Amino acid sequence: MPRPPLSLSLQFARFDGVAEHRAALPRHRVARWLRAALGDDVQAAELAVRVVGEAEGRQINRDFRHKDYATNVLTFDYQGAPVVAADLVLCAPVIAREAAELGKPLAEHYAHLLVHGALHAQGWDHETSEADAEAMEAQEARVLAGLGLANPYQS
């Protein structure tokens, strides 16, 4: 079954080392990862992906979640299925550190976090209960397996 149409805005803030992150995130690859995460009830998606540095990531997390640190991905969902609309903010330095700690290629960790953010945009939540967390992790693993990537929750 063909994947739903995706309107994608891919933005990179100015920060040290941005070239490495641009190289890991070619538009066609980001679109493929996001499309793979869209559920069967999604007819179309409008997603903006912004890759930011540590200061901007921290500021956004502080302003919107009242948590004073930079986190890997933030999802701002505006509309659910059938037309999903959301902004995904990815903090490049955090993602690079995590990828290094996990021994994973940077692009592979970005794929996981883009899928994670896209699932949040569709209403999936891992903070509501243990059962919800397990369901979301299982869905992430299914999507990533379809992309030929390993389950990030298996050690």
Side-chain angles (χ1 to χ4, degrees), residues 50-127:
R50 180 164 172 81
V51 182
V52 302
E54 191 118 15
E56 186 174 347
R58 181 177 182 177
Q59 182 69 46
I60 293 169
N61 201 25
R62 183 173 45 232
D63 290 351
F64 291 96
R65 295 181 65 225
H66 310 291
K67 297 184 179 188
D68 193 17
Y69 59 87
T71 190
N72 52 19
V73 62
L74 293 165
T75 301
F76 298 92
D77 55 329
Y78 307 115
Q79 182 176 313
V83 179
V84 173
D87 293 337
L88 306 178
V89 178
L90 296 136
C91 186
V94 171
I95 292 169
R97 277 195 303 272
E98 290 174 348
E101 289 167 5
L102 294 167
K104 292 171 64 171
L106 182 60
E108 186 174 321
H109 196 44
Y110 267 118
H112 173 212
L113 293 171
L114 284 162
V115 166
H116 182 88
L119 291 178
H120 272 306
Q122 296 169 83
W124 293 83
D125 196 337
H126 55 86
E127 295 181 349

Side-chain angles (χ1 to χ4, degrees), residues 6-25:
L6 170 65
S7 172
L8 173 62
S9 172
L10 180 57
Q11 308 163 9
F12 291 85
R14 291 188 178 139
F15 57 88
D16 289 341
V18 68
E20 175 188 11
H21 297 272
R22 280 185 188 275
L25 293 167

